[in-house]
Amino acid sequence: LDLLKSIVLDEEIPRLLIVGAYREDEVPDHHPLAFHIRELEEMSVSITKMRIGNLSVDYAIPLVAEALGMDDDDSKVKSLAETIHRKTEGNPFFMLMFLMSLRDEKLLEYNFGAMKWTWDDDAVSSKIVTQNVASVLVNKMNRLQEDTQRMLMVASCL
């Protein structure tokens, strides 16, 4: 953060755009990032903040439709998107992770005969969704082959 601050304040760099992202609930007022942002604002550095929340169901439908390469006017796609939205509260990351987990668990499959994705609404509705990134990744890693899991454990130590 100190390096970033020195770059921002360097007068030899007349035009600079820095894009950063963080979760508000993970950066309290006493966090170093919050401190640096306040300090830069006090120095009249122009900082534009954009709060990006969860998607409404109206935006979730086209996201799911696009991910599946299907029409967002399709009633089955709308139903699936509404279910996914309800389970993920519209968090785009979790929505896409949930879709991938449906595919990984064969609850969402591509039907080459019909040339489109198919799923069982009841099976999707009964699937439990995890609301944190670590759990999603652990679940995904647990589905990997044992040799791959060992390789990841070794690599994580490097």
Side-chain angles (χ1 to χ4, degrees):
L1 289 174
D2 288 330
L3 173 63
L4 188 58
K5 178 181 168 187
S6 66
I7 292 170
V8 167
L9 296 175
D10 189 336
E11 292 179 7
E12 292 183 23
I13 305 173
R15 291 175 184 83
L16 177 67
L17 171 66
I18 297 174
V19 178
Y22 62 92
R23 295 180 183 182
E24 265 185 358
D25 60 330
E26 293 179 7
V27 182
D29 286 339
H30 61 276
H31 190 279
L33 177 61
F35 171 77
H36 280 286
I37 290 172
R38 277 193 310 277
E39 190 175 38
L40 289 170
E41 287 173 332
E42 289 168 5
M43 297 171 146
S44 299
V45 172
S46 176
I47 297 176
T48 302
K49 297 177 187 174
M50 295 174 56
R51 176 174 280 151
I52 301 173
N54 291 344
L55 299 177
S56 70
V57 72
D58 291 335
Y59 289 103
I61 294 168
L63 175 69
V64 171
E66 179 70 25
L68 300 177
M70 296 176 75
D71 186 7
D72 58 1
D73 288 336
D74 184 319
S75 63
K76 290 241 342 145
V77 171
K78 282 184 179 179
S79 175
L80 177 64
E82 288 166 354
T83 300
I84 291 172
H85 181 270
R86 187 174 54 256
K87 290 183 166 289
T88 62
E89 298 176 357
N91 180 309
F93 175 77
F94 287 123
M95 290 179 66
L96 294 175
M97 291 299 290
F98 187 73
L99 267 174
M100 287 189 275
S101 72
L102 292 175
R103 183 205 58 213
D104 292 346
E105 296 173 25
K106 302 202 184 317
L107 296 175
L108 173 69
E109 295 184 295
Y110 192 76
N111 180 326
F112 287 98
M115 299 290 288
K116 66 180 185 177
W117 290 93
T118 58
W119 59 90
D120 177 343
D121 285 324
D122 292 334
V124 171
S125 292
S126 65
K127 176 154 173 48
I128 297 170
V129 66
T130 303
Q131 287 291 353
N132 78 44
V133 177
S135 295
V136 169
L137 294 176
V138 167
N139 289 339
K140 193 168 189 138
M141 287 192 290
N142 285 338
R143 289 193 301 267
L144 296 173
Q145 294 178 356
E146 200 171 311
D147 290 343
T148 306
Q149 287 182 29
R150 272 196 298 278
M151 182 196 62
L152 285 173
M153 282 190 276
V154 171
S156 70
C157 297
L158 300 177

